[in-house]
Amino acid sequence: MKKILMFFMALLTLVVATPTANAKRSIMELPLFERAVLIIKKFETLHKPTHWPTICYGHVVQRGEHFTRRQYSEREADALLRRDYAKFCELYKEYGRDKYILAALAYNIGPGAVNKSSVLKKLKRGDRNIFKAYTSHCHYKGKWHSGLHKRRLTELAVLYVP
């Protein structure tokens, strides 16, 4: 019951304001790509220069990339997030609509971990019961993390189409 309550609370926290009428509409009205972008922004937040080599919304600077240690604007961070997330979507395009949830998980834990995960193995077999496997990715530095659990529940609620 507690998991279900947390799931609905997480879902309700993701509301998008429309610029024209100042009315609120559900995140579920948006395309899956846009839903994922909002979820990542909510849980990653805009990183500060002290978080280097993590910049913007959780992008980890790789060898050969030309980024500087500074505060990036919302616009720059949004563009980088969309570029990174699109790459992950492309990586999992063979999974159809499931590419969005796999890309969201890869954005957080990396594609190597996703490729070895029981989530991907289940989806490959056609097993759509991924709740337990997906929510098992809630550890940080070896310890269970409630914020990651909330993120996983939100991702499942908003991005997964059973």
Side-chain angles (χ1 to χ4, degrees):
M1 184 65 170
K2 186 177 178 182
K3 285 182 182 179
I4 293 172
L5 182 60
M6 285 179 60
F7 165 78
F8 284 113
M9 287 184 63
L11 185 60
L12 290 173
T13 61
L14 293 169
V15 176
V16 180
T18 57
T20 53
N22 233 5
K24 291 191 178 186
R25 62 181 211 208
S26 170
I27 190 173
M28 301 307 276
E29 295 176 43
L30 297 172
L32 288 168
F33 187 94
E34 295 302 321
R35 294 180 200 181
V37 167
L38 288 175
I39 292 168
I40 293 168
K41 284 182 175 184
K42 176 180 174 42
F43 287 99
E44 287 291 341
T45 68
L46 197 54
H47 289 271
K48 295 179 177 15
T50 56
H51 298 140
W52 182 266
T54 303
I55 61 170
C56 300
Y57 289 111
H59 176 88
V60 179
V61 177
Q62 303 296 314
R63 180 175 282 156
E65 289 183 321
H66 301 288
F67 290 101
T68 57
R69 189 178 193 155
R70 65 178 177 89
Q71 183 64 50
Y72 288 85
S73 70
E74 158 60 29
R75 187 175 177 181
E76 292 170 311
D78 182 75
L80 182 58
L81 164 60
R82 288 172 184 279
R83 189 183 82 200
D84 287 347
Y85 186 70
K87 285 180 187 176
F88 290 127
C89 284
E90 181 65 22
L91 187 63
Y92 297 108
K93 69 181 176 187
E94 68 186 82
Y95 296 97
R97 65 183 182 218
D98 293 331
K99 72 181 177 186
Y100 298 103
I101 196 158
L102 291 170
L105 188 59
Y107 190 90
N108 188 228
I109 69 171
V114 172
N115 293 342
K116 295 176 193 173
S117 74
S118 56
V119 175
L120 188 63
K121 289 175 187 168
K122 282 181 165 239
L123 291 173
K124 279 184 179 178
R125 289 193 311 257
D127 184 353
R128 307 290 299 161
N129 185 15
I130 64 166
F131 180 85
K132 191 171 183 175
Y134 196 81
T135 57
S136 70
H137 295 281
C138 300
H139 292 81
Y140 178 70
K141 294 185 178 181
K143 294 184 179 180
W144 187 83
H145 192 275
S146 63
L148 285 174
H149 184 67
K150 192 175 186 180
R151 180 177 182 160
R152 298 293 171 256
L153 292 175
T154 304
E155 290 166 345
L156 275 170
V158 177
L159 301 175
Y160 186 63
V161 184

